Structures are given as structure tokens and as C-alpha cells.
Amino acid sequence: LHRFYLNLSRRMNHHPTIIPEKVVVRSTLSYSEGAINRLPSDAPDWAKEASERLQRQKNTKKLAPPEGVHRVLLHSCCAPCSGAMVDEMRSLEDLEVTVFFYNPNIHPRKEYEIRKNENKKFCGNIGVSFIDCDYDVDNWYSRVKGMEFDPERGRRCTECFDMRMERTALYAHEHGYNAIATTNATSRWKDAVQVNDSGHRAAARYQNLIYWENDWQSDEMTMRKYKISAAERFYKQEYCGCSYSLRDSNDWRKANGIPKIQIGGETAGLGERYFTDPEVDAAEEAQHVVDEFFTQANELAKAGRNAEERKRLLKIYENRKKTPTNSGGDT
């Protein structure tokens, strides 16, 4: 898949668009142009569909904050997810944006500090206020007790979103913010409906506070996120954050012949340690990769604490696995 992107880029870079009596050489074709008529004839269906959507979006109204909102407290899970969202909000007139980092779910502490410090540094570089909240990890484990083997996007994730958005809403209420939002809503690995529901529930606890819901997972915002991440050379985290996500992600990797997750350091378990190429980075989180992970994770979750059943399912995955993602093809 990575080689496909590279070959696609080369084809676009070396074939000029020919117009009668005039030759125009395009150095590159921006994904956000939505130029469906200029895509290669063998472009994948998802690329054509994305370009069509972007063409339709050209005439849509520019993003604006909800009516009456002048101060927004943006809960951030990490720098990569916050890049495009913060950039978009900062471009709006008369809107004050503050990043609120509250993520007691992130495990181990080493990974937590890496994500927090990078997010803090990014905000400092662009002049955005950053609030460093408590790492009350014991409270988080208490809140998700009994859900240790729930699937990703299940009850445990809802409880995790609720806990973080409730703390965000409380701080917003106490410090005069009009709205809250979260960068969790930008990630393909998250269920946007699940994330937004938690945000709305938290904001509803207080008068004069709303949750800002928007399509932060649009094609344009997604590619913008990867471009900013590459430009900033952000740390490429390899799992959602909690210890249970780490466990399940490593189980999935083992079943698919992929090296274990590496916490920190200059070498990742899979791929590059840092974001460097927007197209390659996007391919690593392509929708079919996300869908395959959740399909297997949900099946594995049904085994719960039954170690033998988990081993049996993992063996099934091994028998039907693809080659490692960075090999560029299927067996």
C-alpha cells in the first residue's frame, strides 16, 4: 500500500496536464483540491469518492464557532490529533482557544509524559494557552473496573470519554468558557458519535456551556492533520493510550505478524517513529486497516478473561493474516 502511494505520487509528478496550445506542468496534485478529473484512471475508489466529496465542499460555508461562543476549551489527547483542529480554530476571528490536557487513561507514565510534553511544546510554539491537568490514574482505573475486557469503542471507552469530558466541562464552567470540544473527534480510530455524546452529556451539566460538534474527520481535515504532523515531526504513537488498548493492540499485532509496540525511543515497533510523509502516514491509518483491527478486536473481546479462547482466536487470525503492513502487500 505504501508503494502504491509512492507510485501514485510519481505518476502525478511526471505527467503534465496538456491544454491546447499551452502546456502546464503541475509539480504535485494537492489532495484537498478534489480534482477528480485529474486523478489517474487506476486511482482507487476511495480516492475518487474523497475527491468528489471535496469538490462538493468547495461551496460550503466556512467553519464558524457556534453562536455566542468566543472562548473554547479544547480537550486534547495528543499533539497529532490537535494540530489541524487548533489550526482551524485559531484562524477564526474573535475566538480564544485554550488546550486542556487531561488524559489519566494513558499508560504507562512514560508514554503519558511523551504525549503531554509534545502537546505542550506545540502549543507554546504557536502561542496557544495550555492547561496541564492532573494524572489521576487511580481514579481512572476505579471508574473502568469490570470493563477490562470490553472491546474498543465499547462501554469502557464511553466511560473514559465521559470522565475526561466531565473534567473539561467543570474547568470550562469554573473559568468562564462558552464551549468545550475534544480532539478525540478527529481520529478515525474513534467513534465520532460516541465521542460527541460524551461531550454533550458533560456540557449539559452547566448553564451557558455547550459542546462544539463538527465533522472533524472530514477528508480535508484528516489530510491537514497529517501534513501538520509531518511538518512538526510529531511522535507517532502506536496505540490509543490505556493499558487495555496496549494489550489488545499487541495481541492484534502478534496475530498479524507485526512487531510489538515500542514506548518512546527512536525506533517504533512498526514504521517510522515520527510523522514524516502525509501520504504514507495516512496510508498506515487507512479505513480498511482501522476496520480490520476493530473486527478482530471485537471478536477477541468476546473471549473476555478466558485465556484459552483468546489463544484460539489469535491462532485463527494468524492463519488468515496479511503480511506486515510495511511490506506493502497481501499474502
Side-chain angles (χ1 to χ4, degrees):
L1 185 56
H2 291 183
R3 287 199 296 271
F4 168 78
Y5 277 103
L6 293 175
N7 292 334
L8 176 60
S9 177
R10 293 191 187 104
R11 286 199 297 272
M12 290 189 291
N13 288 342
H14 290 87
H15 288 272
T17 300
I18 300 176
I19 301 176
E21 299 182 356
K22 185 177 181 181
V23 177
V24 178
V25 179
R26 299 175 64 85
S27 60
T28 186
L29 177 62
S30 172
Y31 180 76
S32 63
E33 288 181 74
I36 185 67
N37 59 313
R38 295 191 181 94
L39 286 175
S41 60
D42 59 348
D45 290 341
W46 67 261
K48 295 176 182 177
E49 293 170 0
S51 291
E52 290 171 352
R53 285 196 298 272
L54 291 171
Q55 282 184 322
R56 292 194 296 269
Q57 291 169 6
K58 282 186 176 181
N59 297 322
T60 59
K61 187 178 179 181
K62 179 178 173 61
L63 176 71
E67 185 177 356
V69 171
H70 301 288
R71 302 183 71 213
V72 59
L73 186 64
L74 175 61
H75 168 267
S76 178
C77 56
C78 61
C81 285
S82 70
M85 205 165 170
V86 171
D87 190 53
E88 181 69 15
M89 289 183 174
R90 288 176 66 239
S91 70
L92 304 178
E93 295 182 3
D94 302 321
L95 181 67
E96 176 189 337
V97 183
T98 299
V99 168
F100 186 73
F101 194 89
Y102 175 64
N103 301 287
N105 58 305
I106 300 177
H107 172 90
R109 184 65 180 260
K110 179 180 179 180
E111 180 79 7
Y112 171 83
E113 294 294 341
I114 291 172
R115 299 189 192 188
K116 182 187 75 172
N117 291 333
E118 182 173 63
N119 208 166
K120 185 176 182 179
K121 179 181 178 181
F122 173 63
C123 289
N125 290 341
I126 62 175
V128 170
S129 298
F130 181 90
I131 306 298
D132 181 0
C133 200
D134 293 337
Y135 183 60
D136 53 345
V137 64
D138 291 340
N139 188 18
W140 185 85
Y141 275 109
S142 175
R143 188 149 176 173
V144 300
K145 186 176 181 180
M147 307 176 194
E148 295 85 353
F149 289 92
D150 276 23
E152 294 280 339
R153 297 183 175 177
R155 294 180 307 152
R156 185 181 69 239
C157 291
T158 295
E159 198 66 39
C160 182
F161 293 138
D162 281 349
M163 179 178 179
R164 289 183 284 168
M165 294 313 298
E166 286 166 10
R167 182 65 65 89
T168 304
L170 174 62
Y171 188 96
H173 168 71
E174 292 176 340
H175 294 83
Y177 288 89
N178 312 118
I180 58 173
T182 177
T183 62
N184 280 313
T186 71
S187 175
R188 292 174 178 173
W189 295 94
K190 301 293 185 292
D191 181 340
V193 173
Q194 186 181 36
V195 172
N196 291 331
D197 284 349
S198 288
H200 286 299
R201 281 194 296 272
R205 291 167 169 250
Y206 309 100
Q207 289 186 341
N208 303 318
L209 181 67
I210 65 170
Y211 173 73
W212 184 355
E213 180 177 341
N214 185 62
D215 181 13
W216 303 110
Q217 293 183 23
S218 69
D219 297 309
E220 187 173 9
M221 285 294 291
T222 296
M223 185 52 69
R224 187 172 173 185
K225 178 175 74 171
Y226 288 121
K227 286 181 177 179
I228 292 174
S229 294
E232 296 291 333
R233 204 167 177 267
F234 284 147
Y235 170 82
K236 189 180 289 186
Q237 57 214 38
E238 301 186 68
Y239 63 108
C240 176
C242 76
S243 59
Y244 309 123
S245 170
L246 177 60
R247 175 200 64 203
D248 293 343
S249 295
N250 274 329
D251 282 348
W252 178 80
R253 286 186 173 209
K254 180 180 179 181
N256 286 275
I258 300 173
K260 288 181 62 176
I261 290 168
Q262 297 297 313
I263 306 297
E266 293 299 312
T267 304
L270 172 68
E272 301 294 330
R273 175 77 288 174
Y274 303 98
F275 286 92
T276 56
D277 185 319
E279 291 186 349
V280 172
D281 296 332
E284 291 181 352
E285 295 185 2
Q287 193 61 53
H288 76 275
V289 176
V290 176
D291 292 343
E292 182 182 352
F293 169 79
F294 281 112
T295 296
Q296 294 187 5
N298 288 339
E299 290 178 14
L300 193 61
K302 295 176 182 178
R305 299 177 183 275
N306 189 328
E308 290 302 316
E309 178 64 9
R310 290 175 70 87
K311 289 180 180 179
R312 186 188 71 80
L313 289 171
L314 286 171
K315 191 65 178 178
I316 292 175
Y317 302 151
E318 288 177 2
N319 291 335
R320 71 187 188 204
K321 73 184 179 185
K322 298 179 179 181
T323 57
T325 302
N326 57 0
S327 70
D330 294 344
T331 53

